[in-house]
Amino acid sequence: MDTGQKESILIVEDEGKISEIVRAYLEKEGFRVKVADTAEQALGLLKEMFDLIILDLMLPDMQGEELCQVIREGSDVPVIMLTAKSGEEERIRGLGIGADDYVVKPFSPRELVARVKAQLRRSGRVKKKLLSYNGGELKIDLINREVFREGGLIVLTPTEFKILMSLADQPGRVFSREQLVTIAQGYDFEGYDRTIDAHVKNLRHKIEKDSRSPEFIRTVYGIGYKFTGTPDED
Ligand code: CA
C-alpha cells in the first residue's frame, strides 16, 4: 500500500457518470481530484498545477486532441486519454499528439487507476538522471544520453537510444512496431515497421550478453517488443 500519495489529478470529461466513478476510485487511493465538464473549464483550472490529467477525447466544446496540444504547449504533465475510438490509427495518433497513454471506453476504473499510478511512477522516474537495471548490469544516463553495460560505455545511435529509453522507461509494457516507429522517427515520419526490427537487432548486439537469448529486450510475437530488465532500487 502506498502512503502519502496526494498527487492531484484533473479529470476532463463531460459524462458525469464516468467522471464521478473515476473520481471515487482515485479518491479512494488518496489522490486529490478535480473535474472539468468542458474544455473551457479545464483551461480555467490549468492555472493550477496537476500531477496528471485524464482527458476525454470527445468534449462538447473542443476535441480532446486539441486540448491535449494546448496542454502540451505549456506543460509535460502526464496525460491519459479516454477514447471511444478503438482503431489502432487513432491510438497512435493519441500518442502522437502528446498523450502518454490512452484507455478505450468502456474501461474498468481499476485498470484506469493502475494506468494512472504507472504514469505517475514513470513521470517521477523520468526526472531521475540515471536508470539502472539488473543490479547495475545496464545503466542509462538520461542527462548525457549515455548507456553503460557492466560499467562500459556503449555507443548507440540517436534512434537506438530513443527506442531503448522508451522501452526501459516502462518495463513490461508491450510496444507495437508502429508505436516504436512513432517514438523513433516522430509522428510524421512514414517509417516502415520492419526498420524497427533492424534497430532492435543492433541494440541487442550492443546491450545483451547473448543477443540470441535477450534478457532486456524481448520480442512479443505478432506485436512488437517489451523491456524485461528489472529496475534497481534507489
Ligand atoms: Ca465525452
Side-chain angles (χ1 to χ4, degrees), residues 12-15 18 56-60 105:
V12 189
E13 164 66 89
D14 58 310
E15 285 171 73
I18 293 178
D56 182 34
L57 199 58
M58 306 279 270
L59 295 168
K105 291 179 186 176

PDB file of all heavy atoms in Angstrom, residues 12-15 18 56-60 105, ligand 1:
ATOM      1  N   VAL A  12     -11.014  15.553 -17.165  1.00  0.00           N
ATOM      2  CA  VAL A  12     -11.783  16.377 -18.107  1.00  0.00           C
ATOM      3  C   VAL A  12     -12.707  15.437 -18.869  1.00  0.00           C
ATOM      4  O   VAL A  12     -12.264  14.662 -19.721  1.00  0.00           O
ATOM      5  CB  VAL A  12     -10.850  17.128 -19.083  1.00  0.00           C
ATOM      6  CG1 VAL A  12     -11.659  18.131 -19.897  1.00  0.00           C
ATOM      7  CG2 VAL A  12      -9.716  17.817 -18.347  1.00  0.00           C
ATOM      8  N   GLU A  13     -13.962  15.488 -18.533  1.00  0.00           N
ATOM      9  CA  GLU A  13     -14.924  14.503 -19.058  1.00  0.00           C
ATOM     10  C   GLU A  13     -16.325  15.070 -18.891  1.00  0.00           C
ATOM     11  O   GLU A  13     -16.692  15.517 -17.803  1.00  0.00           O
ATOM     12  CB  GLU A  13     -14.751  13.186 -18.275  1.00  0.00           C
ATOM     13  CG  GLU A  13     -15.870  12.179 -18.402  1.00  0.00           C
ATOM     14  CD  GLU A  13     -16.014  11.624 -19.804  1.00  0.00           C
ATOM     15  OE1 GLU A  13     -15.352  10.619 -20.105  1.00  0.00           O
ATOM     16  OE2 GLU A  13     -16.798  12.207 -20.587  1.00  0.00           O
ATOM     17  N   ASP A  14     -17.097  15.090 -19.974  1.00  0.00           N
ATOM     18  CA  ASP A  14     -18.431  15.682 -19.892  1.00  0.00           C
ATOM     19  C   ASP A  14     -19.491  14.687 -19.437  1.00  0.00           C
ATOM     20  O   ASP A  14     -20.596  15.084 -19.093  1.00  0.00           O
ATOM     21  CB  ASP A  14     -18.825  16.290 -21.243  1.00  0.00           C
ATOM     22  CG  ASP A  14     -18.808  15.265 -22.363  1.00  0.00           C
ATOM     23  OD1 ASP A  14     -17.781  14.561 -22.486  1.00  0.00           O
ATOM     24  OD2 ASP A  14     -19.790  15.154 -23.090  1.00  0.00           O
ATOM     25  N   GLU A  15     -19.179  13.384 -19.449  1.00  0.00           N
ATOM     26  CA  GLU A  15     -20.151  12.409 -18.956  1.00  0.00           C
ATOM     27  C   GLU A  15     -19.991  12.267 -17.449  1.00  0.00           C
ATOM     28  O   GLU A  15     -19.048  11.643 -16.974  1.00  0.00           O
ATOM     29  CB  GLU A  15     -19.937  11.051 -19.632  1.00  0.00           C
ATOM     30  CG  GLU A  15     -20.437  11.013 -21.057  1.00  0.00           C
ATOM     31  CD  GLU A  15     -20.006   9.735 -21.761  1.00  0.00           C
ATOM     32  OE1 GLU A  15     -20.572   8.681 -21.449  1.00  0.00           O
ATOM     33  OE2 GLU A  15     -19.083   9.811 -22.586  1.00  0.00           O
ATOM     34  N   ILE A  18     -19.266   8.906 -15.731  1.00  0.00           N
ATOM     35  CA  ILE A  18     -17.890   8.402 -15.833  1.00  0.00           C
ATOM     36  C   ILE A  18     -16.964   9.170 -14.890  1.00  0.00           C
ATOM     37  O   ILE A  18     -16.215   8.575 -14.116  1.00  0.00           O
ATOM     38  CB  ILE A  18     -17.377   8.496 -17.288  1.00  0.00           C
ATOM     39  CG1 ILE A  18     -18.170   7.517 -18.162  1.00  0.00           C
ATOM     40  CG2 ILE A  18     -15.883   8.209 -17.364  1.00  0.00           C
ATOM     41  CD1 ILE A  18     -17.808   7.536 -19.613  1.00  0.00           C
ATOM     42  N   ASP A  56     -10.892  13.222 -21.767  1.00  0.00           N
ATOM     43  CA  ASP A  56     -11.812  12.568 -22.700  1.00  0.00           C
ATOM     44  C   ASP A  56     -11.593  13.138 -24.103  1.00  0.00           C
ATOM     45  O   ASP A  56     -11.392  14.338 -24.276  1.00  0.00           O
ATOM     46  CB  ASP A  56     -13.255  12.821 -22.239  1.00  0.00           C
ATOM     47  CG  ASP A  56     -14.258  12.122 -23.131  1.00  0.00           C
ATOM     48  OD1 ASP A  56     -13.942  11.018 -23.620  1.00  0.00           O
ATOM     49  OD2 ASP A  56     -15.348  12.673 -23.339  1.00  0.00           O
ATOM     50  N   LEU A  57     -11.633  12.252 -25.078  1.00  0.00           N
ATOM     51  CA  LEU A  57     -11.385  12.667 -26.464  1.00  0.00           C
ATOM     52  C   LEU A  57     -12.540  13.499 -27.026  1.00  0.00           C
ATOM     53  O   LEU A  57     -12.333  14.414 -27.819  1.00  0.00           O
ATOM     54  CB  LEU A  57     -11.181  11.404 -27.314  1.00  0.00           C
ATOM     55  CG  LEU A  57     -10.493  11.537 -28.648  1.00  0.00           C
ATOM     56  CD1 LEU A  57      -9.109  12.132 -28.494  1.00  0.00           C
ATOM     57  CD2 LEU A  57     -10.401  10.171 -29.313  1.00  0.00           C
ATOM     58  N   MET A  58     -13.777  13.173 -26.624  1.00  0.00           N
ATOM     59  CA  MET A  58     -14.941  13.862 -27.175  1.00  0.00           C
ATOM     60  C   MET A  58     -15.544  14.789 -26.131  1.00  0.00           C
ATOM     61  O   MET A  58     -16.284  14.343 -25.250  1.00  0.00           O
ATOM     62  CB  MET A  58     -16.006  12.837 -27.592  1.00  0.00           C
ATOM     63  CG  MET A  58     -15.489  11.764 -28.534  1.00  0.00           C
ATOM     64  SD  MET A  58     -15.422  12.359 -30.221  1.00  0.00           S
ATOM     65  CE  MET A  58     -17.071  11.897 -30.744  1.00  0.00           C
ATOM     66  N   LEU A  59     -15.242  16.060 -26.255  1.00  0.00           N
ATOM     67  CA  LEU A  59     -15.794  17.054 -25.333  1.00  0.00           C
ATOM     68  C   LEU A  59     -16.775  17.926 -26.099  1.00  0.00           C
ATOM     69  O   LEU A  59     -16.695  18.033 -27.316  1.00  0.00           O
ATOM     70  CB  LEU A  59     -14.659  17.905 -24.760  1.00  0.00           C
ATOM     71  CG  LEU A  59     -13.669  17.133 -23.876  1.00  0.00           C
ATOM     72  CD1 LEU A  59     -12.431  17.981 -23.610  1.00  0.00           C
ATOM     73  CD2 LEU A  59     -14.329  16.717 -22.567  1.00  0.00           C
ATOM     74  N   PRO A  60     -17.722  18.558 -25.390  1.00  0.00           N
ATOM     75  CA  PRO A  60     -18.740  19.327 -26.118  1.00  0.00           C
ATOM     76  C   PRO A  60     -18.169  20.547 -26.839  1.00  0.00           C
ATOM     77  O   PRO A  60     -18.663  20.921 -27.897  1.00  0.00           O
ATOM     78  CB  PRO A  60     -19.721  19.751 -25.010  1.00  0.00           C
ATOM     79  CG  PRO A  60     -18.989  19.565 -23.723  1.00  0.00           C
ATOM     80  CD  PRO A  60     -17.992  18.485 -23.961  1.00  0.00           C
ATOM     81  N   LYS A 105     -12.890   3.254 -23.946  1.00  0.00           N
ATOM     82  CA  LYS A 105     -14.185   3.033 -23.294  1.00  0.00           C
ATOM     83  C   LYS A 105     -14.913   1.851 -23.934  1.00  0.00           C
ATOM     84  O   LYS A 105     -14.839   1.711 -25.157  1.00  0.00           O
ATOM     85  CB  LYS A 105     -15.068   4.274 -23.431  1.00  0.00           C
ATOM     86  CG  LYS A 105     -14.593   5.466 -22.638  1.00  0.00           C
ATOM     87  CD  LYS A 105     -15.557   6.616 -22.912  1.00  0.00           C
ATOM     88  CE  LYS A 105     -15.078   7.903 -22.268  1.00  0.00           C
ATOM     89  NZ  LYS A 105     -15.942   9.037 -22.596  1.00  0.00           N
TER      90      LYS A 105
HETATM   91 CA    CA B   1     -17.332  12.789 -23.904  1.00  0.00          CA
END
